Amino acid sequence: MGAMTEIERIADQLARSRAGEAWHGPSLADALGDVTAEEAAARPLASAHSIWELVHHLRFWNEIPRRRIAGEALGDVEPEASWPPVEESSEAAWAAARRGLDEAQRALETAARDLPRERLAEPAPGTGPDVAGVLHGVAQHNAYHGGQIVLLKRALRSGRAGGAS
């Protein structure tokens, strides 16, 4: 197989931030796989977001770039809008939140794969960077918050026997 195109490379990085092997550490699917609803809603660090809030935030920032790249005029996003609240904390709601993130990530990966090469250098609507920069930024954002999720899990489980993760 030949070298990956830039679009294939970006889609691959997005996919690796979602699931599978990633250079930076565990993917979001791996980091979230064993988290319970109770853990996801907890605040082991009073000044930090919960894991659940991070999942909602990540879903938001996988959906908005996809919608903008598709041509939807969304305008500026108020910072607080990118932190949708957790309204229900059941295991079913937690499973739905994780599914929603996975679906948003897969949709962005598909949108990236389907982009014509020349679109990568175009300005991304509603942002400063070009489309390629936005897509790379989403993969970086996923990894950044994935690291926070791992640290929150460690803080939650540090008092339990065998709780290292």
Side-chain angles (χ1 to χ4, degrees):
M1 182 168 129
M4 276 194 223
T5 65
E6 181 65 10
I7 290 170
E8 290 168 336
R9 191 174 299 110
I10 291 170
D12 180 64
Q13 289 302 303
L14 289 166
R16 287 173 185 273
S17 73
R18 177 182 50 79
E21 292 185 24
W23 180 87
H24 67 268
S27 66
L28 286 168
D30 289 340
L32 295 167
D34 64 346
V35 175
T36 66
E38 181 180 359
E39 289 174 323
R43 288 192 188 282
L45 304 173
S47 62
H49 289 285
S50 70
I51 291 172
W52 205 319
E53 289 168 334
L54 289 168
V55 165
H56 282 188
H57 178 72
L58 285 162
R59 178 180 179 175
F60 184 91
W61 283 115
N62 277 265
E63 289 176 343
I64 293 297
R66 179 193 53 77
R67 291 168 59 193
R68 283 181 169 155
I69 290 166
E72 198 172 329
L74 298 174
D76 291 336
V77 174
E78 294 297 324
E80 58 275 2
S82 74
W83 293 98
V86 176
E87 295 175 350
E88 181 193 340
S89 58
S90 68
E91 286 295 337
W94 173 232
R98 289 192 327 263
R99 251 189 333 274
L101 173 57
D102 185 72
E103 290 166 3
Q105 289 178 293
R106 288 176 187 273
L108 183 61
E109 291 164 32
T110 298
R113 274 190 202 92
D114 291 346
L115 278 173
R117 189 183 81 221
E118 59 275 6
R119 290 272 331 265
L120 291 176
E122 289 179 6
T127 63
D130 59 23
V131 170
V134 168
L135 293 171
H136 281 292
V138 172
Q140 294 163 3
H141 186 249
N142 289 345
Y144 170 74
H145 286 304
Q148 290 178 324
I149 289 166
V150 169
L151 289 174
L152 289 168
K153 278 174 53 175
R154 286 184 183 151
L156 281 163
R157 296 173 179 178
S158 63
R160 290 192 260 164
S165 57

